[in-house]
Amino acid sequence: MTSAATPKGARRRSLLIEAAGALLLEGGFDAVRHRAVADRAQLPLASTTYYFASLDDLMAEAAAHLCRNDEHGIAARTDAVPRRRRGNSATAGVLAEVFVGESTSIEELAARYELIALAARYPRLRDVVTERRHSLAAYHSALLAKSGRIAEPVHVGQLIAVEDGAIVGALGQPSVSPLDATRDALHEVVGVLAPQG
């Protein structure tokens, strides 16, 4: 048994992942450095290289941790939506509320898209992005079905792309709400990509 597999090792590893995740939210991926993570976790600097093969591994674990937290919120919001037929406007509104979320911070939204952009440079992040994309597609399909909508997988992917574009565009404009921008963008396309069943 390696020390990372012991209860103490698992706790330390978890503390480092949480610390790296907090730094990622506060300052982006550039903020995730061995010393900063160790300081935040209140652990020796050597622990970052003991429990992780590289900084890339630590960043990937931190990104996966943030994605899981984000998905817990999405899952809870999806479960809270009652099953009923919705028109285009109501469906766009529900999708925006679930996948942007009123309580989701700008930092959390920025981290979502920084992760996607950096996946091109960091192979370890690609798996995290791919897994998240599959998860988001499943939640979209469930929510659309609850709204009396039909959507092929390719169209679900297109809806996600519309959401992504609206959110990224809003992040660059402090006066624009990502929630409102997403709702408006989806309203234009939801009837075509996910018609009523």
Side-chain angles (χ1 to χ4, degrees):
M1 178 185 288
T2 66
S3 58
T6 65
K8 179 181 178 182
R11 278 194 306 276
R12 285 185 162 207
R13 193 171 191 282
S14 180
L15 284 171
L16 291 165
I17 291 169
E18 289 173 17
L23 288 166
L24 197 158
L25 282 180
E26 291 171 11
F29 280 83
D30 287 342
V32 181
R33 295 291 174 251
H34 289 291
R35 183 170 298 283
V37 172
D39 288 348
R40 175 64 64 96
Q42 297 182 334
L43 290 171
L45 177 59
S47 63
T48 60
T49 54
Y50 183 77
Y51 292 106
F52 300 94
S54 68
L55 187 59
D56 287 359
D57 288 338
L58 177 54
M59 286 197 304
E61 291 286 349
H65 171 72
L66 291 180
C67 287
R68 284 190 297 274
N69 287 346
D70 192 28
E71 286 169 25
H72 289 319
I74 289 170
R77 293 190 295 269
T78 299
D79 290 344
V81 173
R83 182 177 294 277
R84 68 176 176 83
R85 291 177 65 81
R86 292 179 174 83
N88 291 346
S89 181
T91 302
V94 165
L95 286 167
E97 288 162 17
V98 166
F99 295 103
V100 177
E102 289 202 26
S103 63
T104 306
S105 70
I106 293 297
E107 291 78 13
E108 289 168 316
L109 290 174
R112 281 185 193 176
Y113 296 102
E114 186 176 13
L115 168 62
I116 293 169
L118 287 177
R121 291 187 188 155
Y122 297 97
R124 282 288 321 251
L125 293 177
R126 290 179 199 148
D127 292 339
V128 176
V129 169
T130 300
E131 185 177 326
R132 177 174 171 73
R133 185 64 57 165
H134 290 313
S135 175
L136 287 178
Y139 285 119
H140 275 78
S141 295
L143 190 58
L144 290 167
K146 286 177 94 170
S147 299
R149 299 275 168 164
I150 300 170
E152 296 295 324
V154 66
H155 294 146
V156 169
Q158 290 168 342
L159 283 171
I160 293 171
V162 169
E163 293 166 10
D164 289 345
I167 295 167
V168 169
L171 288 174
Q173 302 177 65
S175 61
V176 178
S177 157
L179 184 67
D180 292 342
T182 304
R183 183 186 299 117
D184 293 346
L186 288 171
H187 183 263
E188 300 299 320
V189 299
V190 74
V192 176
L193 296 175
Q196 290 185 336

